[in-house]
Amino acid sequence: MIKVCKFGGTSMADANALRQVKSIIEADSSRRFVVVSAPGKRHKNDIKITDTLYRCYDEVVELGNCKNAFSIVRERFIEIVKDLGIDLDIKSILDKTEEEIVLNKSADFAASRGEYLSAIVAAAFLGFEFVDAASLVRFDSQGKLNADYTNDKVASKLANVKNAVIPGFYGKNFEGQIKTFSRGGSDITGSIIARGVGADLYENWTDVSGFLICDPRIVDDPKAIKQITYKELRELSYMGASVLHSEAIFPAMKGKIPINIKNTFKPEDAGTMIVPNDRYELDPDNVITGIAGKKNFTVIYIEKSLMNAEVGFVRRILSVIEHYGICIEHVPSGIDTVSVVLSSEELKGGILNDMVNEIRENVNPDFIHVIENISLIATVGHGMARRTGTAARLFTALAKEGINIKMIDQGSSELNIIIGVANSDYEKCIRTIYKAFV
Ligand code: ASP
C-alpha cells in the first residue's frame, strides 16, 4: 500500500502545524511520499510566503536586490526551524536562496523557493529524503506540463526511494529554467507523484474537511460531500469550487487513484473521497452531489430557421469568437437556435459589439440578441441520470420562488444541469436548489 500525501499552506504555516503533519505521517507507514506547499497564512491577516516571494521578484526588478521582502521569508523559516528544534543550517540555505533569486530574475523561480525551502525543512523534520521537484516535473516550451515525460521520471526516480518529501508547485522546462503551475498548483504535483509511484490513494491534506455541497457563504452550514466522482468534481470545480486545484484531478484520474480530501487539524473527519465511476457507491438518499456557480457571464443568443441544414453554421460563429482569442464556456443549442456563453471578464473594451457585428455578417441570422449579467449554476449529481423527475423537481422549486431561468444546458453526460439566471437571482437560486434536494 502506498499513499501520497500533499499538505497545503496552512499545514506548513508554523511549527505547531508541522508537528500535526508529523503525527499524521507517523500514524500510517504507507504514507511514504509527502508533497508540500510553502508556508501559508497563520491567521487571517497573515501573508503567504508565496506572495512575499513574488514581492521579492518585484524588488529585484526595481532595486536589483530583495533584501526587504526576503527578510520576511528568512524570519519565517528561521522561526519554524528553531521552534521545531531541527538540526539544519537554514541560514546558509536562505543566504544561497536569496542570491539565486537575485541572479535568476524570474518570477517563477522566486515563487518556487517557498515550496523548495518548505520541503527541505519538512524532510529534515520527518527524517525523509528530499527529492527536488525540478528533477521530476517537466514543462514544455509553452509552459504546459509534459505529463508522460514527467510520469516516467517520477516512476524511475522514486522507484527505489522509501520515503521522500517533494516540493509542490514547480518543475523545470527543457531549457533548465524553473517554471511553476498556476496558484495552488501543489495539488497538481501531489497528483502527479501519486500517479508516478502508482499510489493506492492520494491524500490531499488541507484546512477543511472536504467539499461542501455548496458555498457556505450562501447556504448556512451545508452538508459535506462524502463521495464524488472525478467527472462530477470537474463539473463543480470548473464553476469555482476552491478546495482542490481544478487541474489536480487529471493525473490521479489517469492512474485511477482515488483522492481523499482531509483536514490536517481534524484528521479523524472522513473528508471527501473522489473516486472513479466504477468505484462510486450509489447512495439512494443523494440525488445530487453538489451545486456550484459563478456570476458574470454574457450570452449571445442566435436564431436562424433551418440553421441545422446549413453546413458550417456553428463553426463560423465559433471562428469569429476564436479570432478574438476568447474562450467559450458553453454552447447550448436548439433546432434553430444556438447560444454562446462567454465570461464577461473577457469582453471588456467594446469587444462584444464588434464581435456581434462580425457574427451577424458571417452567418446572417434571423435574430441575434445579447444577454448580460448572467450567472451560471450547475447542479451536479451522479444520481440524476438514473432518476426520473430530477429536472422537474429543480424547475418546479425555482418557479415557486419566482426565479426566471434564462438558459438551460443539460450536459450530454446527464451528470449536470446548468442554468443561467440573472446575477441578482444567483444566491437565491442556489439556496432554492439546495432546499429542493438536500
Ligand atoms: N504556494 C503556492 C500558492 O500559494 C502553491 C500552492 O500552495 O499550492 O499558490
Side-chain angles (χ1 to χ4, degrees):
M1 175 80 130
I2 303 180
K3 291 181 186 166
V4 169
C5 304
K6 179 260 169 179
F7 289 91
T10 29
S11 311
M12 306 305 294
D14 58 21
N16 270 341
L18 266 144
R19 282 193 201 99
Q20 184 64 18
V21 167
K22 189 175 189 177
S23 77
I24 290 167
I25 300 292
E26 288 179 348
D28 182 347
S29 61
S30 62
R31 292 181 173 136
R32 287 177 44 198
F33 300 100
V34 178
V35 173
V36 295
S37 279
K41 292 185 180 191
R42 291 160 292 186
H43 47 82
K44 212 169 150 244
N45 299 321
D46 204 7
I47 300 169
K48 290 182 176 183
I49 285 295
T50 308
D51 291 316
T52 313
L53 286 162
Y54 281 117
R55 257 188 60 204
C56 288
Y57 167 71
D58 293 340
E59 273 183 23
V60 170
V61 172
E62 230 175 90
L63 311 167
N65 72 68
C66 58
K67 281 202 175 60
N68 254 328
F70 198 78
S71 69
I72 301 169
V73 176
R74 183 181 289 278
E75 223 173 88
R76 188 81 175 268
F77 278 103
I78 289 178
E79 188 181 312
I80 292 175
V81 168
K82 192 169 141 245
D83 284 358
L84 291 175
I86 34 182
D87 180 21
L88 180 71
D89 184 7
I90 189 72
K91 288 190 178 144
S92 313
I93 300 170
L94 287 162
D95 287 343
K96 188 156 173 259
T97 303
E98 184 178 347
E99 258 171 47
E100 286 173 344
I101 290 175
V102 176
L103 281 174
N104 262 278
K105 255 200 182 180
S106 139
D108 280 18
F109 181 84
S112 74
R113 295 304 89 183
E115 271 67 15
Y116 173 80
L117 294 165
S118 186
I120 288 180
V121 171
F125 184 51
L126 295 170
F128 282 16
E129 195 174 316
F130 166 81
V131 177
D132 195 349
S135 68
L136 303 172
V137 178
R138 203 50 53 95
F139 291 93
D140 65 20
S141 51
Q142 273 93 46
K144 282 231 161 72
L145 173 74
N146 187 324
D148 292 335
Y149 186 97
T150 299
N151 192 53
D152 289 348
K153 273 270 178 246
V154 173
S156 61
K157 288 232 171 194
L158 297 181
N160 297 314
V161 176
K162 183 158 181 280
N163 296 107
V165 179
I166 301 137
F169 191 39
Y170 72 93
K172 71 178 180 195
N173 63 17
F174 286 97
E175 284 77 51
Q177 292 153 333
I178 295 288
K179 288 279 151 207
T180 65
F181 291 108
S182 56
R183 295 301 300 267
S186 299
D187 288 340
I188 310 173
T189 312
S191 187
I192 288 170
I193 303 298
R195 180 185 170 210
V197 300
D200 300 278
L201 183 65
Y202 169 30
E203 290 180 335
N204 190 290
W205 292 85
T206 174
D207 53 5
V208 291
S209 298
F211 292 102
L212 299 173
I213 292 185
C214 63
D215 189 338
R217 287 167 301 186
I218 298 174
V219 170
D220 283 337
D221 207 12
K223 274 192 170 172
I225 301 177
K226 285 194 204 123
Q227 196 197 192
I228 184 168
T229 64
Y230 301 133
K231 286 211 175 117
E232 285 175 324
L233 185 64
R234 277 297 296 150
E235 300 290 349
L236 290 172
S237 68
Y238 160 72
M239 305 289 291
S242 61
V243 177
L244 186 76
H245 191 294
S246 62
E247 288 163 42
I249 203 118
F250 298 112
M253 191 157 89
K254 270 225 163 113
K256 282 201 148 207
I257 300 159
I259 305 172
N260 193 187
I261 308 289
K262 294 276 286 176
N263 188 344
T264 302
F265 307 98
K266 284 187 184 165
E268 62 288 353
D269 286 359
T272 301
M273 265 298 208
I274 310 165
V275 295
N277 272 351
D278 56 8
R279 287 177 67 168
Y280 185 85
E281 287 163 32
L282 204 63
D283 176 352
D285 295 335
N286 284 350
V287 182
I288 65 160
T289 309
I291 310 157
K294 210 166 156 185
K295 284 187 174 174
N296 297 327
F297 289 94
T298 297
V299 181
I300 305 177
Y301 173 85
I302 301 147
E303 212 178 282
K304 188 173 188 182
S305 299
L306 295 175
M307 146 199 133
N308 60 334
E310 208 177 300
V311 175
F313 184 84
V314 176
R315 184 191 50 76
R316 289 205 297 280
I317 297 170
L318 301 188
S319 309
V320 171
I321 298 167
E322 183 183 354
H323 174 77
Y324 282 86
I326 286 168
C327 295
I328 292 163
E329 302 286 335
H330 287 279
V331 192
S333 65
I335 184 114
D336 291 328
T337 65
V338 58
S339 297
V340 186
V341 184
L342 309 166
S343 162
S344 309
E345 259 295 293
E346 299 206 48
L347 301 172
K348 288 183 178 144
I351 290 182
L352 183 61
N353 261 344
D354 295 350
M355 214 161 66
V356 169
N357 286 337
E358 234 177 271
I359 292 175
R360 205 176 264 130
E361 279 163 25
N362 269 275
V363 297
N364 196 23
D366 299 338
F367 181 66
I368 182 164
H369 177 58
V370 173
I371 317 163
E372 291 183 270
N373 301 319
I374 292 290
S375 293
L376 293 186
I377 293 160
T379 306
V380 176
H382 219 77
M384 290 190 335
R386 292 184 180 79
R387 234 158 305 210
T388 49
T390 312
R393 202 161 147 192
L394 180 89
F395 295 121
T396 308
L398 294 172
K400 268 196 190 143
E401 287 295 323
I403 296 169
N404 183 15
I405 299 164
K406 297 183 181 276
M407 193 198 85
I408 302 171
D409 182 11
Q410 171 154 31
S412 47
S413 59
E414 270 193 74
L415 206 69
N416 64 347
I417 300 174
I418 295 175
I419 55 170
V421 298
N423 276 347
S424 52
D425 279 336
Y426 175 71
E427 283 86 3
K428 188 173 171 194
C429 184
I430 291 186
R431 279 194 284 268
T432 305
I433 299 172
Y434 184 82
K435 236 179 33 208
F437 287 99
V438 186

PDB file of all heavy atoms in Angstrom, residues 303-319:
ATOM      1  N   GLU A 303     -30.572  33.098 -33.581  1.00  0.00           N
ATOM      2  CA  GLU A 303     -31.673  32.298 -34.105  1.00  0.00           C
ATOM      3  C   GLU A 303     -31.626  32.341 -35.616  1.00  0.00           C
ATOM      4  O   GLU A 303     -31.423  33.410 -36.209  1.00  0.00           O
ATOM      5  CB  GLU A 303     -32.977  32.935 -33.614  1.00  0.00           C
ATOM      6  CG  GLU A 303     -34.082  31.951 -33.367  1.00  0.00           C
ATOM      7  CD  GLU A 303     -35.315  32.668 -32.824  1.00  0.00           C
ATOM      8  OE1 GLU A 303     -35.347  33.010 -31.634  1.00  0.00           O
ATOM      9  OE2 GLU A 303     -36.216  32.904 -33.645  1.00  0.00           O
ATOM     10  N   LYS A 304     -31.795  31.203 -36.261  1.00  0.00           N
ATOM     11  CA  LYS A 304     -31.926  31.200 -37.721  1.00  0.00           C
ATOM     12  C   LYS A 304     -32.678  29.947 -38.140  1.00  0.00           C
ATOM     13  O   LYS A 304     -32.263  28.828 -37.805  1.00  0.00           O
ATOM     14  CB  LYS A 304     -30.550  31.239 -38.388  1.00  0.00           C
ATOM     15  CG  LYS A 304     -30.665  31.432 -39.891  1.00  0.00           C
ATOM     16  CD  LYS A 304     -29.325  31.639 -40.549  1.00  0.00           C
ATOM     17  CE  LYS A 304     -29.548  32.021 -42.004  1.00  0.00           C
ATOM     18  NZ  LYS A 304     -28.292  32.183 -42.721  1.00  0.00           N
ATOM     19  N   SER A 305     -33.755  30.121 -38.869  1.00  0.00           N
ATOM     20  CA  SER A 305     -34.526  28.963 -39.321  1.00  0.00           C
ATOM     21  C   SER A 305     -33.655  28.088 -40.203  1.00  0.00           C
ATOM     22  O   SER A 305     -32.877  28.590 -41.014  1.00  0.00           O
ATOM     23  CB  SER A 305     -35.746  29.415 -40.127  1.00  0.00           C
ATOM     24  OG  SER A 305     -36.560  30.207 -39.308  1.00  0.00           O
ATOM     25  N   LEU A 306     -33.791  26.803 -40.051  1.00  0.00           N
ATOM     26  CA  LEU A 306     -33.046  25.804 -40.822  1.00  0.00           C
ATOM     27  C   LEU A 306     -31.531  25.896 -40.628  1.00  0.00           C
ATOM     28  O   LEU A 306     -30.765  25.473 -41.466  1.00  0.00           O
ATOM     29  CB  LEU A 306     -33.398  25.896 -42.310  1.00  0.00           C
ATOM     30  CG  LEU A 306     -34.846  25.559 -42.631  1.00  0.00           C
ATOM     31  CD1 LEU A 306     -35.125  25.790 -44.112  1.00  0.00           C
ATOM     32  CD2 LEU A 306     -35.170  24.125 -42.267  1.00  0.00           C
ATOM     33  N   MET A 307     -31.138  26.464 -39.487  1.00  0.00           N
ATOM     34  CA  MET A 307     -29.715  26.534 -39.169  1.00  0.00           C
ATOM     35  C   MET A 307     -29.078  25.143 -39.207  1.00  0.00           C
ATOM     36  O   MET A 307     -27.939  24.969 -39.625  1.00  0.00           O
ATOM     37  CB  MET A 307     -29.581  27.171 -37.784  1.00  0.00           C
ATOM     38  CG  MET A 307     -28.465  26.684 -36.957  1.00  0.00           C
ATOM     39  SD  MET A 307     -28.748  27.097 -35.216  1.00  0.00           S
ATOM     40  CE  MET A 307     -28.360  25.532 -34.485  1.00  0.00           C
ATOM     41  N   ASN A 308     -29.874  24.136 -38.813  1.00  0.00           N
ATOM     42  CA  ASN A 308     -29.329  22.770 -38.781  1.00  0.00           C
ATOM     43  C   ASN A 308     -29.015  22.219 -40.170  1.00  0.00           C
ATOM     44  O   ASN A 308     -28.290  21.244 -40.318  1.00  0.00           O
ATOM     45  CB  ASN A 308     -30.275  21.829 -38.027  1.00  0.00           C
ATOM     46  CG  ASN A 308     -31.638  21.763 -38.666  1.00  0.00           C
ATOM     47  OD1 ASN A 308     -32.046  22.716 -39.343  1.00  0.00           O
ATOM     48  ND2 ASN A 308     -32.340  20.664 -38.484  1.00  0.00           N
ATOM     49  N   ALA A 309     -29.559  22.855 -41.207  1.00  0.00           N
ATOM     50  CA  ALA A 309     -29.303  22.369 -42.570  1.00  0.00           C
ATOM     51  C   ALA A 309     -28.169  23.149 -43.247  1.00  0.00           C
ATOM     52  O   ALA A 309     -27.836  22.916 -44.398  1.00  0.00           O
ATOM     53  CB  ALA A 309     -30.582  22.487 -43.407  1.00  0.00           C
ATOM     54  N   GLU A 310     -27.602  24.080 -42.512  1.00  0.00           N
ATOM     55  CA  GLU A 310     -26.569  24.943 -43.100  1.00  0.00           C
ATOM     56  C   GLU A 310     -25.189  24.463 -42.657  1.00  0.00           C
ATOM     57  O   GLU A 310     -24.844  24.561 -41.481  1.00  0.00           O
ATOM     58  CB  GLU A 310     -26.815  26.373 -42.617  1.00  0.00           C
ATOM     59  CG  GLU A 310     -26.329  27.424 -43.582  1.00  0.00           C
ATOM     60  CD  GLU A 310     -26.675  28.824 -43.079  1.00  0.00           C
ATOM     61  OE1 GLU A 310     -27.875  29.122 -42.893  1.00  0.00           O
ATOM     62  OE2 GLU A 310     -25.743  29.596 -42.860  1.00  0.00           O
ATOM     63  N   VAL A 311     -24.430  23.935 -43.597  1.00  0.00           N
ATOM     64  CA  VAL A 311     -23.123  23.381 -43.233  1.00  0.00           C
ATOM     65  C   VAL A 311     -22.188  24.489 -42.707  1.00  0.00           C
ATOM     66  O   VAL A 311     -22.086  25.552 -43.321  1.00  0.00           O
ATOM     67  CB  VAL A 311     -22.472  22.691 -44.455  1.00  0.00           C
ATOM     68  CG1 VAL A 311     -21.046  22.221 -44.117  1.00  0.00           C
ATOM     69  CG2 VAL A 311     -23.324  21.519 -44.899  1.00  0.00           C
ATOM     70  N   GLY A 312     -21.578  24.238 -41.568  1.00  0.00           N
ATOM     71  CA  GLY A 312     -20.576  25.174 -41.040  1.00  0.00           C
ATOM     72  C   GLY A 312     -21.144  26.359 -40.288  1.00  0.00           C
ATOM     73  O   GLY A 312     -20.407  27.286 -39.948  1.00  0.00           O
ATOM     74  N   PHE A 313     -22.452  26.330 -39.991  1.00  0.00           N
ATOM     75  CA  PHE A 313     -23.086  27.479 -39.336  1.00  0.00           C
ATOM     76  C   PHE A 313     -22.445  27.777 -37.967  1.00  0.00           C
ATOM     77  O   PHE A 313     -21.975  28.884 -37.711  1.00  0.00           O
ATOM     78  CB  PHE A 313     -24.593  27.203 -39.178  1.00  0.00           C
ATOM     79  CG  PHE A 313     -25.365  28.353 -38.595  1.00  0.00           C
ATOM     80  CD1 PHE A 313     -25.809  29.393 -39.416  1.00  0.00           C
ATOM     81  CD2 PHE A 313     -25.656  28.405 -37.235  1.00  0.00           C
ATOM     82  CE1 PHE A 313     -26.515  30.458 -38.875  1.00  0.00           C
ATOM     83  CE2 PHE A 313     -26.358  29.473 -36.698  1.00  0.00           C
ATOM     84  CZ  PHE A 313     -26.791  30.490 -37.514  1.00  0.00           C
ATOM     85  N   VAL A 314     -22.416  26.760 -37.137  1.00  0.00           N
ATOM     86  CA  VAL A 314     -21.873  26.970 -35.790  1.00  0.00           C
ATOM     87  C   VAL A 314     -20.370  27.248 -35.857  1.00  0.00           C
ATOM     88  O   VAL A 314     -19.840  28.102 -35.148  1.00  0.00           O
ATOM     89  CB  VAL A 314     -22.177  25.756 -34.882  1.00  0.00           C
ATOM     90  CG1 VAL A 314     -21.519  25.928 -33.518  1.00  0.00           C
ATOM     91  CG2 VAL A 314     -23.675  25.579 -34.707  1.00  0.00           C
ATOM     92  N   ARG A 315     -19.705  26.554 -36.765  1.00  0.00           N
ATOM     93  CA  ARG A 315     -18.259  26.767 -36.883  1.00  0.00           C
ATOM     94  C   ARG A 315     -17.937  28.229 -37.203  1.00  0.00           C
ATOM     95  O   ARG A 315     -17.011  28.817 -36.656  1.00  0.00           O
ATOM     96  CB  ARG A 315     -17.650  25.859 -37.965  1.00  0.00           C
ATOM     97  CG  ARG A 315     -16.129  25.985 -38.054  1.00  0.00           C
ATOM     98  CD  ARG A 315     -15.539  25.311 -39.271  1.00  0.00           C
ATOM     99  NE  ARG A 315     -16.191  25.676 -40.515  1.00  0.00           N
ATOM    100  CZ  ARG A 315     -16.019  26.837 -41.144  1.00  0.00           C
ATOM    101  NH1 ARG A 315     -15.212  27.740 -40.643  1.00  0.00           N
ATOM    102  NH2 ARG A 315     -16.660  27.091 -42.255  1.00  0.00           N
ATOM    103  N   ARG A 316     -18.752  28.824 -38.088  1.00  0.00           N
ATOM    104  CA  ARG A 316     -18.474  30.210 -38.470  1.00  0.00           C
ATOM    105  C   ARG A 316     -18.635  31.153 -37.265  1.00  0.00           C
ATOM    106  O   ARG A 316     -17.864  32.089 -37.090  1.00  0.00           O
ATOM    107  CB  ARG A 316     -19.373  30.644 -39.636  1.00  0.00           C
ATOM    108  CG  ARG A 316     -18.990  29.968 -40.960  1.00  0.00           C
ATOM    109  CD  ARG A 316     -19.419  30.769 -42.162  1.00  0.00           C
ATOM    110  NE  ARG A 316     -20.869  30.926 -42.260  1.00  0.00           N
ATOM    111  CZ  ARG A 316     -21.718  30.003 -42.726  1.00  0.00           C
ATOM    112  NH1 ARG A 316     -21.238  28.845 -43.152  1.00  0.00           N
ATOM    113  NH2 ARG A 316     -23.004  30.227 -42.775  1.00  0.00           N
ATOM    114  N   ILE A 317     -19.641  30.858 -36.429  1.00  0.00           N
ATOM    115  CA  ILE A 317     -19.824  31.684 -35.214  1.00  0.00           C
ATOM    116  C   ILE A 317     -18.611  31.526 -34.300  1.00  0.00           C
ATOM    117  O   ILE A 317     -18.026  32.494 -33.825  1.00  0.00           O
ATOM    118  CB  ILE A 317     -21.104  31.245 -34.451  1.00  0.00           C
ATOM    119  CG1 ILE A 317     -22.335  31.481 -35.319  1.00  0.00           C
ATOM    120  CG2 ILE A 317     -21.218  31.969 -33.115  1.00  0.00           C
ATOM    121  CD1 ILE A 317     -23.604  30.863 -34.767  1.00  0.00           C
ATOM    122  N   LEU A 318     -18.242  30.247 -34.122  1.00  0.00           N
ATOM    123  CA  LEU A 318     -17.145  29.995 -33.183  1.00  0.00           C
ATOM    124  C   LEU A 318     -15.822  30.561 -33.694  1.00  0.00           C
ATOM    125  O   LEU A 318     -14.987  31.020 -32.914  1.00  0.00           O
ATOM    126  CB  LEU A 318     -17.021  28.498 -32.889  1.00  0.00           C
ATOM    127  CG  LEU A 318     -18.276  27.836 -32.281  1.00  0.00           C
ATOM    128  CD1 LEU A 318     -17.983  26.416 -31.845  1.00  0.00           C
ATOM    129  CD2 LEU A 318     -18.848  28.623 -31.096  1.00  0.00           C
ATOM    130  N   SER A 319     -15.656  30.564 -35.028  1.00  0.00           N
ATOM    131  CA  SER A 319     -14.410  31.116 -35.588  1.00  0.00           C
ATOM    132  C   SER A 319     -14.281  32.600 -35.284  1.00  0.00           C
ATOM    133  O   SER A 319     -13.182  33.086 -35.012  1.00  0.00           O
ATOM    134  CB  SER A 319     -14.335  30.991 -37.107  1.00  0.00           C
ATOM    135  OG  SER A 319     -14.586  29.728 -37.499  1.00  0.00           O
TER     136      SER A 319
END
